[in-house]
């Protein structure tokens, strides 16, 4: 496996060669090379002159180089933190340079944000601890490295196994190494970027009485496979969902911790103007986000298929001279003023903000709810059973009967537009815009017919529809993209087919739900099917309950 220096040299050389060729093409042909002396096109000119393929290669090479430099800075930040520990007192590295801690020291050198410096110190420290533990195992009597093929570094746990004879007296490496060792090893080997490694570690959290190190280690290895196809934000959300799945007993503690962190701080700035800093808990965060998304929908590319009255209100909002930030402030203040008497048709047109809780019904569970947890629609956060039951008492429930693959029942072709109940089902299943990496929430999306309603006689059924934001809905229809439903025996999948102009081979891209509740339901159903010995029939329909 190549070293960090070798990978960095390769990425740098590739990027430099692209720029050098571009610079050479920009200079006019002259009789003598000496006539070009001192003539160097600007970086903007060099990059602007590149064709699309060369531009993509340059960005890819530069990104690889940046990731390697980031790894170096991360490891160095961890070493700097070790040399700046409190036990060092004023003799510590950061303290000698006038900083309270290593984060301030790293920030002053790199010029990064405080959050980025904290991430580098945090991950660098974890890499240092894992490396120290590995070295101790190597130094143990009879110690030897033993790597398998299950991890990016050739080791499913990143472990160093003892070779202490037939009796197995040597210490077990997986028990001696930190649970996050597979992640830190992958970062050090250049398999994933440091930002991705930090996202996995933060998302999975740490060992607790309800989730031991070995369980977390296995989850970390699973997340390394996801890291190859996900950006950092999506990777963090996926890791958080996986933690809730492997540690349902800890959901209440994590929910309570976030709930206790809620705060509203008001203070005056240097000009004497009152400002506010708000930290939302899970429930109120979803509600506040939906209030603004619904109120500012036309400004944020909301659905186009609306009534004439809604269109008139949308046009009025688009012509409003206030900025989005001013409109957001005025909307929240108006909600505070109106309180419970607020007329939703005035502020929110036809859709009133509400927080919907999704759970999977399980008649075999004492509570009647699978794993004793629920999920907030529009959020990756799991909530404990007590909160679900309180919401049930307050607002009741609505059942959506689904098949074993999580698809709601069909409702036919009587109308072109999806009904309110069908949209509720789509929101519960898709969790937002179905397009890869799009983060548009479900309530800001449009329902797309996979088979064109007028041209292909597409049915207005939930199974034949997906949620797309306005931008991606128009992109799909106008640029030759297509979404197909695959009903193979392995389960229903939705595939995004790119146009030939984007991918000449038109390789399908599998679409993934953004709904934490739906993903939990699917994985749970698959586990049950796999463990039911000799079972060939599809499992009975389950019910996903939407509580509003």
């Amino acid at each position: 496996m190549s070293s960090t220096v070798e990978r960095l040299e390769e990425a740098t050389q590739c990027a430099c060669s692209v720029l050098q060729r571009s610079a050479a093409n920009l200079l006019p042909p002259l009789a003598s090379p000496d006539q070009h002396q001192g003539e160097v096109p600007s970086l903007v000119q060099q990059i602007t002159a590149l064709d699309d393929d060369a531009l993509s290669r340059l960005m890819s090479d530069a990104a690889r180089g940046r990731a390697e430099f980031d790894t170096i800075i991360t490891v160095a930040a961890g070493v700097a933190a070790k040399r700046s520990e409190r036990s060092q007192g004023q003799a510590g590295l950061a303290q000698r340079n006038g900083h309270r801690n290593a984060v301030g020291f790293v920030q002053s050198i790199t010029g990064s944000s405080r959050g980025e410096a904290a991430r580098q110190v945090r991950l660098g420290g974890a890499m240092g601890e894992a490396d120290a533990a590995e070295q101790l195992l190597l130094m143990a009597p009879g110690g030897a490295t033993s790597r398998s093929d299950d991890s990016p570094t050739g080791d499913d746990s990143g472990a160093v196994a003892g070779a202490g004879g037939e009796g197995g007296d040597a210490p077990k490496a997986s028990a001696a190494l930190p649970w996050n060792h597979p992640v830190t090893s992958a970062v050090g080997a250049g398999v994933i970027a440091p930002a991705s490694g930090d996202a996995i570690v933060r998302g999975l959290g740490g060992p607790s009485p309800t989730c031991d190190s070995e369980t977390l280690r296995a989850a970390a290895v699973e997340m390394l496979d996801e890291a190859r196809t996900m950006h950092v934000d999506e990777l963090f959300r996926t890791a958080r969902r996986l933690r809730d799945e492997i540690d349902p007993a800890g959901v209440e503690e994590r929910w309570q911790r976030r709930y206790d962190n809620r705060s509203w701080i008001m203070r005056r700035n240097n000009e004497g103007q009152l400002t506010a800093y708000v930290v939302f808990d899970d429930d109120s965060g979803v509600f506040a986000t939906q209030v603004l998304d619904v109120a500012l929908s036309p400004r944020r590319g909301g659905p186009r298929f609306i009534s004439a009255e809604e269109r008139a209100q949308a046009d009025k909002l688009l012509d409003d001279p206030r900025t989005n930030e001013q409109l957001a402030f005025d909307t929240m203040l108006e909600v505070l003023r109106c309180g419970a008497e607020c007329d939703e048709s005035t502020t929110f047109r036809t859709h009133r903000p509400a927080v919907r809780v999704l759970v999977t019904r399980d008649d075999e569970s004492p509570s009647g709810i699978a794993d004793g947890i629920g999920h907030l629609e529009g959020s990756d956060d799991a909530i404990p059973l007590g909160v679900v039951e309180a919401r049930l008492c307050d607002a009741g429930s609505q059942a959506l009967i689904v098949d074993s693959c999580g698809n709601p029942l069909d409702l036919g072709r009587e109308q072109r537009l999806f009904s309110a109940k069908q949209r509720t089902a789509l929101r519960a299943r898709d969790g937002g815009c179905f397009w890869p990496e799009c983060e548009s929430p479900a309530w800001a999306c449009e329902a797309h017919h996979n088979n064109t309603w007028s041209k292909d006689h597409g049915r207005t059924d939930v199974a034949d529809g997906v949620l797309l934001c306005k931008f991606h809905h128009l992109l799909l229809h106008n640029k030759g993209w297509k979404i197909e439903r695959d009903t193979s025996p392995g389960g229903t999948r939705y595939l995004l087919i790119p146009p030939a102009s984007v991918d000449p081979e038109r390789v399908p891209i599998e679409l993934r739900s953004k709904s934490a509740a739906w993903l939990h339901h699917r994985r749970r159903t698959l586990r049950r099917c796999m463990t039911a010995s000799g079972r060939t029939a599809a499992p009975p329909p389950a019910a996903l309950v939407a509580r509003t």
Side-chain angles (χ1 to χ4, degrees), residues 6 19 78 125 128 131 156 161 172 203 208 262 268 272 280 288 304 307 402 412 415 469 493:
E6 292 171 336
L19 292 175
D131 186 75
D156 61 344
K172 200 175 181 182
S208 71
R262 73 194 188 284
R268 296 190 180 276
F280 293 99
R304 296 164 295 144
S307 66
V402 301
Q415 57 184 14
C469 67
R493 299 186 305 160

Side-chain angles (χ1 to χ4, degrees), residues 511-526:
L511 298 176
R512 300 183 179 185
S513 170
K514 311 293 174 61
S515 170
W518 215 262
L519 294 172
H520 173 256
H521 165 71
R522 287 291 303 275
R523 284 194 291 264
R524 190 171 180 276
T525 302
L526 289 174

Side-chain angles (χ1 to χ4, degrees), residues 74-114:
T74 297
V75 174
V79 174
K82 188 70 175 177
R83 298 180 183 179
S84 305
E85 292 178 338
R86 287 189 176 184
S87 60
Q88 302 288 334
Q90 294 299 316
L93 175 60
Q95 293 78 1
R96 292 202 317 271
N97 286 273
H99 299 282
R100 293 179 182 272
N101 51 44
V103 173
F105 175 66
V106 172
Q107 185 183 15
S108 69
I109 293 178
T110 62
S112 62
S113 67
R114 187 168 184 82

